[in-house]
Amino acid sequence: MIGEQTRYGTDNPKELMEKFHDFGNDTLLKLRNLVISPEKRRKPRTWGIGEAAKMVGISIPTFMRHLKEEPNDLTGIAIEETKNGRKIKKYTLQLINTLRNKANTRYERPKGASPLVIAVSNLKGGVGKTETAVDLAKKMAIEGLRVLLLDQDAQGTATSISSGLIPDMEITYEGTITNCLINDPSLINKIIIHTHFDGLDIIPANLAIQDCDLRLPRENENNQHNVNSPFYRCSPFTRLTQTLNIVKNQYDVILIDCSPNVGMLTLNAIVACDGLIIPIPPNMNDYSSFIVYTSTLYSIFEKLSDKKLAYLRILLSKHNGSNEALQMENMMRAQFGEYILSNHMCETVEVSKAANEIGTIYDISKPRGSRDAYRRAIQHLDDVNMEIIDHFKAIWMRQSEENNNGS
């Protein structure tokens, strides 16, 4: 027992919270090592030959021919055993992308089109921002795009389910975006982590990023007047823009998982972004919170008079299919029209099961429960994410046509 527990509380909350934190991190470590053993923590997901050939965009015989033409030390082939003891070959996303490059079927952003910086944001917590950002990032990687996921939430949930790392145990202060925004933007090259999803990199987060919200507004701490700093005379609201510009061209999309507030990090994300995705569950409480957020966004964009958004969509998230949710959906679609994505994100048991294994459904190649439930969950995810990806590709095509016609 820490301190004296009163009937409803404690006389020593500081020590109690410290103990809770230590117990919790120890539990997370044991859980992570239970569901994903250390040697397999970054084990890539694999696909069967039929799925892999389809992803590459070639027939199975052509897939096999390309494999034979590759070097003998080609990595990315795994031997897996089925329930009946039969051994089959499976293929990783890295190998699939290698063959996409060989077959010239990997999507390439058109000449003259720019990388997109997309902020996934909402003022309210618990609306599905992190799930949206991580699932979209992984689906884009599966489709062959090059993605950077920036975790800006001090809880570090996007970090843990993207990489298997425990934020406050395995990510240092220097390993977050904090130093980049306060001291030196070039440090971004040292904090990017390659994940087990080929094509998906992350910039992790932990409690250290709270320093950004505290220090960036203070002139004596944000290096705004330090002549030796790369940020000399640079507005604290444009720090993220300058930092991301250093690596932007290495990616097709940079996704920012924003924290549920309007602190300096979120403001930096809104200034830096080309587009916004706003997840909203179809219920009155979350709808009301969104309306409050629109007032905040209005105030921000009023000060950014030249700001344009190449992309803006509302995602109906955590949709449970109830009559109340459907009624709210109809009302919101009538109000916001085409700014609401056609597809919505369902609330399913499969999502919760994947989260319990420190991942998402896109990490799982075999269903944990009903195969039909797994397929339905994957289909809902794919429908939402492919709608967004198709929008991005349409934006790039338009940019390319405009820039090439003007050249």
Side-chain angles (χ1 to χ4, degrees):
M1 186 70 64
I2 303 171
E4 181 180 348
Q5 181 179 5
T6 65
R7 183 177 182 186
Y8 297 110
T10 176
D11 290 337
N12 198 333
K14 179 179 76 70
E15 289 188 15
L16 183 63
M17 290 304 109
E18 181 181 32
K19 195 70 173 178
F20 282 178
H21 180 268
D22 292 342
F23 281 153
N25 270 334
D26 185 57
T27 300
L28 283 173
L29 185 61
K30 291 176 180 176
L31 176 63
R32 196 274 310 284
N33 291 341
L34 175 66
V35 299
I36 311 173
S37 59
E39 68 275 8
K40 296 181 179 179
R41 185 186 312 171
R42 292 185 176 85
K43 180 181 178 181
R45 184 196 160 173
T46 55
W47 286 264
I49 188 168
E51 295 173 300
K54 185 178 180 181
M55 290 167 69
V56 175
I58 55 180
S59 66
I60 292 177
T62 305
F63 184 92
M64 296 302 297
R65 177 168 55 82
H66 282 322
L67 274 182
K68 290 178 181 178
E69 292 171 355
E70 289 297 313
N72 292 330
D73 60 350
L74 182 70
T75 59
I77 301 177
I79 305 298
E80 298 184 9
E81 190 171 316
T82 64
K83 289 182 179 179
N84 59 14
R86 188 167 63 94
K87 293 183 178 180
I88 58 174
K89 286 184 179 180
K90 292 288 193 80
Y91 305 91
T92 67
L93 185 56
Q94 181 181 7
L95 175 60
I96 290 167
N97 280 333
T98 297
L99 296 186
R100 279 170 168 161
N101 294 336
K102 181 178 179 63
N104 200 28
T105 59
R106 187 171 186 174
Y107 178 83
E108 290 290 338
R109 183 162 33 90
K111 182 180 179 181
S114 302
L116 290 171
V117 178
I118 304 294
V120 182
S121 179
N122 194 319
L123 192 62
K124 190 172 182 293
V127 298
K129 291 188 302 297
T130 296
E131 288 176 15
T132 299
V134 174
D135 281 328
L136 177 57
K138 289 184 176 180
K139 182 59 178 176
M140 286 193 290
I142 289 171
E143 291 298 307
L145 299 177
R146 297 162 178 85
V147 188
L148 175 63
L149 175 61
L150 168 57
D151 191 352
Q152 282 198 171
D153 192 333
Q155 297 177 78
T157 306
T159 297
S160 61
I161 62 179
S162 296
S163 65
L165 297 171
I166 298 175
D168 288 321
M169 293 183 68
E170 298 174 306
I171 303 296
T172 65
Y173 182 100
E174 293 77 16
T176 70
I177 198 71
T178 307
N179 264 355
C180 298
L181 302 188
I182 294 174
N183 296 312
D184 186 351
S186 68
L187 295 171
I188 190 171
N189 288 302
K190 297 181 178 180
I191 63 173
I192 292 175
I193 296 174
H194 303 299
T195 73
H196 58 287
F197 258 75
D198 189 59
L200 172 58
D201 296 343
I202 66 166
I203 295 177
N206 60 16
L207 290 174
I209 66 170
Q210 293 182 129
D211 265 15
C212 293
D213 284 333
L214 296 173
R215 297 178 62 185
L216 281 177
R218 301 174 183 171
E219 291 187 8
N220 62 327
E221 293 188 36
N222 65 19
N223 283 311
Q224 188 169 354
H225 300 295
N226 181 355
V227 295
N228 296 316
S229 169
F231 286 129
Y232 178 56
R233 298 290 182 189
C234 171
S235 167
F237 297 100
T238 63
R239 299 291 177 87
L240 184 60
T241 304
Q242 294 196 31
T243 301
L244 292 181
N245 281 343
I246 295 172
V247 297
K248 190 174 181 179
N249 288 326
Q250 300 173 27
Y251 301 97
D252 296 306
V253 179
I254 297 177
L255 277 178
I256 307 173
D257 180 27
C258 297
S259 57
N261 58 43
V262 194
M264 288 296 293
L265 276 171
T266 300
L267 290 173
N268 264 269
I270 291 173
V271 170
C273 77
D274 304 301
L276 276 172
I277 296 175
I278 306 174
I280 310 172
N283 64 63
M284 187 55 71
N285 287 339
D286 291 300
Y287 170 81
S288 301
S289 176
F290 168 65
I291 299 306
V292 173
Y293 190 37
T294 58
S295 176
T296 302
L297 290 173
Y298 169 83
S299 301
I300 295 170
F301 291 132
E302 187 178 28
K303 294 179 174 64
L304 303 171
S305 57
D306 297 330
K307 180 73 174 180
K308 295 180 181 180
L309 293 176
Y311 192 69
L312 173 62
R313 284 296 184 271
I314 295 166
L315 167 61
L316 297 177
S317 59
K318 298 193 171 184
H319 200 307
N320 60 19
S322 67
N323 288 334
E324 292 78 10
L326 291 170
Q327 289 172 5
M328 181 61 68
E329 175 186 352
N330 291 335
M331 184 194 79
M332 293 174 69
R333 289 192 183 279
Q335 289 182 345
F336 306 126
E338 64 182 14
Y339 287 109
I340 296 187
L341 288 164
S342 300
N343 294 286
H344 61 257
M345 197 71 78
C346 287
E347 195 168 40
T348 68
V349 174
E350 292 298 317
V351 171
S352 300
K353 288 179 179 177
N356 285 339
E357 297 189 10
I358 316 179
T360 73
I361 296 180
Y362 285 130
D363 290 292
I364 299 170
S365 56
K366 299 177 183 177
R368 297 300 184 262
S370 161
R371 183 171 292 276
D372 288 340
Y374 169 78
R375 286 174 176 168
R376 284 195 300 270
I378 281 284
Q379 189 61 59
H380 276 295
L381 275 180
D382 282 350
D383 288 345
V384 169
N385 291 324
M386 286 308 301
E387 182 179 356
I388 296 172
I389 292 168
D390 287 343
H391 290 167
F392 291 171
K393 290 181 178 179
I395 291 171
W396 288 325
M397 185 60 68
R398 187 178 67 248
Q399 288 177 345
S400 177
E401 291 171 353
E402 290 173 352
N403 289 329
N404 292 332
N405 289 337
S407 59

Short mmCIF file of all heavy atoms in Angstrom, two decimals, residues 105-136:
data_model
loop_
_atom_site.label_atom_id
_atom_site.label_comp_id
_atom_site.label_asym_id
_atom_site.label_seq_id
_atom_site.Cartn_x
_atom_site.Cartn_y
_atom_site.Cartn_z
N THR A 105 4.80 -1.73 -61.79
CA THR A 105 3.39 -1.60 -61.45
C THR A 105 3.17 -0.83 -60.14
O THR A 105 2.03 -0.63 -59.74
CB THR A 105 2.75 -3.00 -61.29
OG1 THR A 105 3.45 -3.73 -60.27
CG2 THR A 105 2.79 -3.77 -62.59
N ARG A 106 4.25 -0.42 -59.49
CA ARG A 106 4.10 0.34 -58.26
C ARG A 106 3.65 1.76 -58.57
O ARG A 106 4.17 2.40 -59.49
CB ARG A 106 5.42 0.37 -57.49
CG ARG A 106 5.30 1.01 -56.10
CD ARG A 106 6.56 0.83 -55.30
NE ARG A 106 6.41 1.31 -53.94
CZ ARG A 106 7.33 1.17 -52.99
NH1 ARG A 106 8.48 0.54 -53.26
NH2 ARG A 106 7.11 1.63 -51.76
N TYR A 107 2.68 2.25 -57.81
CA TYR A 107 2.16 3.59 -58.07
C TYR A 107 3.26 4.62 -57.87
O TYR A 107 3.99 4.60 -56.88
CB TYR A 107 1.00 3.91 -57.14
CG TYR A 107 0.47 5.32 -57.33
CD1 TYR A 107 -0.44 5.60 -58.34
CD2 TYR A 107 0.90 6.36 -56.51
CE1 TYR A 107 -0.91 6.90 -58.53
CE2 TYR A 107 0.44 7.66 -56.69
CZ TYR A 107 -0.47 7.91 -57.71
OH TYR A 107 -0.92 9.20 -57.89
N GLU A 108 3.37 5.52 -58.82
CA GLU A 108 4.31 6.63 -58.73
C GLU A 108 3.53 7.93 -58.80
O GLU A 108 2.73 8.13 -59.72
CB GLU A 108 5.33 6.58 -59.87
CG GLU A 108 6.33 5.42 -59.77
CD GLU A 108 7.32 5.60 -58.63
OE1 GLU A 108 7.53 6.75 -58.19
OE2 GLU A 108 7.89 4.58 -58.19
N ARG A 109 3.75 8.78 -57.83
CA ARG A 109 3.11 10.09 -57.85
C ARG A 109 3.49 10.81 -59.15
O ARG A 109 4.66 10.86 -59.50
CB ARG A 109 3.56 10.88 -56.62
CG ARG A 109 2.93 12.23 -56.48
CD ARG A 109 3.09 12.74 -55.04
NE ARG A 109 4.31 12.32 -54.39
CZ ARG A 109 5.45 13.01 -54.42
NH1 ARG A 109 5.53 14.14 -55.10
NH2 ARG A 109 6.52 12.56 -53.77
N PRO A 110 2.50 11.35 -59.88
CA PRO A 110 2.80 11.94 -61.20
C PRO A 110 3.79 13.10 -61.10
O PRO A 110 3.87 13.80 -60.07
CB PRO A 110 1.43 12.44 -61.69
CG PRO A 110 0.43 11.69 -60.88
CD PRO A 110 1.07 11.41 -59.56
N LYS A 111 4.53 13.29 -62.16
CA LYS A 111 5.47 14.39 -62.24
C LYS A 111 4.73 15.72 -62.08
O LYS A 111 3.71 15.94 -62.71
CB LYS A 111 6.21 14.36 -63.58
CG LYS A 111 7.26 15.44 -63.73
CD LYS A 111 7.95 15.35 -65.08
CE LYS A 111 8.99 16.46 -65.24
NZ LYS A 111 9.65 16.40 -66.58
N GLY A 112 5.26 16.57 -61.22
CA GLY A 112 4.63 17.86 -60.98
C GLY A 112 3.65 17.86 -59.82
O GLY A 112 3.13 18.91 -59.44
N ALA A 113 3.37 16.68 -59.24
CA ALA A 113 2.48 16.57 -58.09
C ALA A 113 3.29 16.60 -56.80
O ALA A 113 4.40 16.07 -56.74
CB ALA A 113 1.65 15.30 -58.16
N SER A 114 2.74 17.21 -55.78
CA SER A 114 3.46 17.41 -54.52
C SER A 114 3.03 16.42 -53.45
O SER A 114 1.88 15.98 -53.44
CB SER A 114 3.22 18.83 -53.99
OG SER A 114 3.61 19.80 -54.94
N PRO A 115 3.95 16.08 -52.53
CA PRO A 115 3.55 15.27 -51.38
C PRO A 115 2.46 15.99 -50.60
O PRO A 115 2.40 17.22 -50.58
CB PRO A 115 4.83 15.17 -50.55
CG PRO A 115 5.94 15.51 -51.50
CD PRO A 115 5.37 16.46 -52.49
N LEU A 116 1.58 15.21 -49.97
CA LEU A 116 0.49 15.79 -49.18
C LEU A 116 0.78 15.64 -47.69
O LEU A 116 1.21 14.57 -47.25
CB LEU A 116 -0.82 15.09 -49.51
CG LEU A 116 -1.41 15.35 -50.90
CD1 LEU A 116 -2.58 14.41 -51.16
CD2 LEU A 116 -1.84 16.80 -51.05
N VAL A 117 0.56 16.71 -46.96
CA VAL A 117 0.64 16.66 -45.50
C VAL A 117 -0.80 16.72 -44.99
O VAL A 117 -1.50 17.72 -45.20
CB VAL A 117 1.46 17.83 -44.93
CG1 VAL A 117 1.47 17.78 -43.40
CG2 VAL A 117 2.88 17.80 -45.47
N ILE A 118 -1.24 15.65 -44.36
CA ILE A 118 -2.63 15.53 -43.92
C ILE A 118 -2.69 15.41 -42.40
O ILE A 118 -2.06 14.52 -41.82
CB ILE A 118 -3.30 14.28 -44.55
CG1 ILE A 118 -3.19 14.31 -46.08
CG2 ILE A 118 -4.75 14.17 -44.10
CD1 ILE A 118 -3.95 15.43 -46.76
N ALA A 119 -3.44 16.31 -41.78
CA ALA A 119 -3.62 16.26 -40.33
C ALA A 119 -4.93 15.55 -40.01
O ALA A 119 -5.98 15.87 -40.58
CB ALA A 119 -3.64 17.67 -39.74
N VAL A 120 -4.87 14.55 -39.13
CA VAL A 120 -6.07 13.88 -38.63
C VAL A 120 -6.36 14.51 -37.27
O VAL A 120 -5.60 14.32 -36.32
CB VAL A 120 -5.86 12.37 -38.51
CG1 VAL A 120 -7.14 11.68 -38.03
CG2 VAL A 120 -5.42 11.78 -39.85
N SER A 121 -7.44 15.28 -37.21
CA SER A 121 -7.60 16.15 -36.05
C SER A 121 -9.06 16.25 -35.62
O SER A 121 -9.98 16.17 -36.44
CB SER A 121 -7.06 17.55 -36.39
OG SER A 121 -7.21 18.44 -35.31
N ASN A 122 -9.24 16.43 -34.32
CA ASN A 122 -10.54 16.73 -33.73
C ASN A 122 -10.27 17.24 -32.32
O ASN A 122 -9.31 16.81 -31.68
CB ASN A 122 -11.45 15.50 -33.70
CG ASN A 122 -12.90 15.85 -33.41
OD1 ASN A 122 -13.20 16.69 -32.58
ND2 ASN A 122 -13.82 15.20 -34.12
N LEU A 123 -11.10 18.13 -31.87
CA LEU A 123 -10.91 18.71 -30.54
C LEU A 123 -11.16 17.68 -29.44
O LEU A 123 -10.62 17.77 -28.34
CB LEU A 123 -11.84 19.91 -30.35
CG LEU A 123 -11.63 20.82 -29.16
CD1 LEU A 123 -10.26 21.47 -29.22
CD2 LEU A 123 -12.71 21.89 -29.09
N LYS A 124 -11.99 16.68 -29.73
CA LYS A 124 -12.43 15.71 -28.73
C LYS A 124 -11.61 14.43 -28.81
O LYS A 124 -11.26 13.99 -29.90
CB LYS A 124 -13.91 15.40 -28.93
CG LYS A 124 -14.56 14.59 -27.81
CD LYS A 124 -16.07 14.51 -28.04
CE LYS A 124 -16.75 13.75 -26.92
NZ LYS A 124 -16.37 12.33 -26.89
N GLY A 125 -11.31 13.85 -27.67
CA GLY A 125 -10.63 12.57 -27.64
C GLY A 125 -11.62 11.42 -27.81
O GLY A 125 -12.83 11.59 -27.65
N GLY A 126 -11.10 10.24 -28.16
CA GLY A 126 -11.94 9.06 -28.24
C GLY A 126 -12.81 8.97 -29.48
O GLY A 126 -13.75 8.17 -29.52
N VAL A 127 -12.49 9.76 -30.51
CA VAL A 127 -13.32 9.75 -31.72
C VAL A 127 -12.73 8.87 -32.83
O VAL A 127 -13.34 8.71 -33.88
CB VAL A 127 -13.55 11.18 -32.27
CG1 VAL A 127 -14.29 12.03 -31.25
CG2 VAL A 127 -12.22 11.84 -32.66
N GLY A 128 -11.55 8.33 -32.60
CA GLY A 128 -10.95 7.44 -33.58
C GLY A 128 -9.87 8.07 -34.43
O GLY A 128 -9.56 7.57 -35.52
N LYS A 129 -9.26 9.15 -33.94
CA LYS A 129 -8.20 9.81 -34.73
C LYS A 129 -7.01 8.88 -34.96
O LYS A 129 -6.53 8.75 -36.10
CB LYS A 129 -7.70 11.08 -34.00
CG LYS A 129 -8.69 12.22 -33.92
CD LYS A 129 -8.05 13.47 -33.38
CE LYS A 129 -7.45 13.28 -32.01
NZ LYS A 129 -8.45 12.93 -30.98
N THR A 130 -6.54 8.26 -33.90
CA THR A 130 -5.35 7.41 -34.03
C THR A 130 -5.63 6.19 -34.90
O THR A 130 -4.81 5.83 -35.76
CB THR A 130 -4.85 6.98 -32.64
OG1 THR A 130 -4.45 8.16 -31.91
CG2 THR A 130 -3.66 6.05 -32.75
N GLU A 131 -6.77 5.54 -34.68
CA GLU A 131 -7.13 4.40 -35.53
C GLU A 131 -7.18 4.81 -36.99
O GLU A 131 -6.68 4.10 -37.88
CB GLU A 131 -8.49 3.84 -35.11
CG GLU A 131 -8.48 3.09 -33.78
CD GLU A 131 -9.88 2.66 -33.37
OE1 GLU A 131 -10.78 2.68 -34.24
OE2 GLU A 131 -10.08 2.32 -32.20
N THR A 132 -7.78 5.97 -37.25
CA THR A 132 -7.90 6.47 -38.61
C THR A 132 -6.53 6.69 -39.23
O THR A 132 -6.25 6.26 -40.35
CB THR A 132 -8.70 7.79 -38.63
OG1 THR A 132 -10.03 7.56 -38.14
CG2 THR A 132 -8.78 8.36 -40.04
N ALA A 133 -5.65 7.38 -38.49
CA ALA A 133 -4.32 7.72 -39.01
C ALA A 133 -3.49 6.47 -39.25
O ALA A 133 -2.87 6.32 -40.31
CB ALA A 133 -3.61 8.66 -38.03
N VAL A 134 -3.46 5.54 -38.28
CA VAL A 134 -2.62 4.36 -38.41
C VAL A 134 -3.14 3.43 -39.49
O VAL A 134 -2.36 2.91 -40.31
CB VAL A 134 -2.50 3.63 -37.06
CG1 VAL A 134 -1.73 2.32 -37.22
CG2 VAL A 134 -1.81 4.52 -36.02
N ASP A 135 -4.44 3.19 -39.51
CA ASP A 135 -5.00 2.30 -40.53
C ASP A 135 -4.81 2.87 -41.93
O ASP A 135 -4.47 2.14 -42.87
CB ASP A 135 -6.49 2.06 -40.28
CG ASP A 135 -6.72 1.03 -39.18
OD1 ASP A 135 -5.89 0.12 -39.05
OD2 ASP A 135 -7.73 1.13 -38.46
N LEU A 136 -5.01 4.18 -42.09
CA LEU A 136 -4.80 4.80 -43.39
C LEU A 136 -3.33 4.71 -43.79
O LEU A 136 -3.01 4.41 -44.95
CB LEU A 136 -5.26 6.25 -43.36
CG LEU A 136 -5.04 7.06 -44.65
CD1 LEU A 136 -5.71 6.40 -45.85
CD2 LEU A 136 -5.55 8.50 -44.47
#
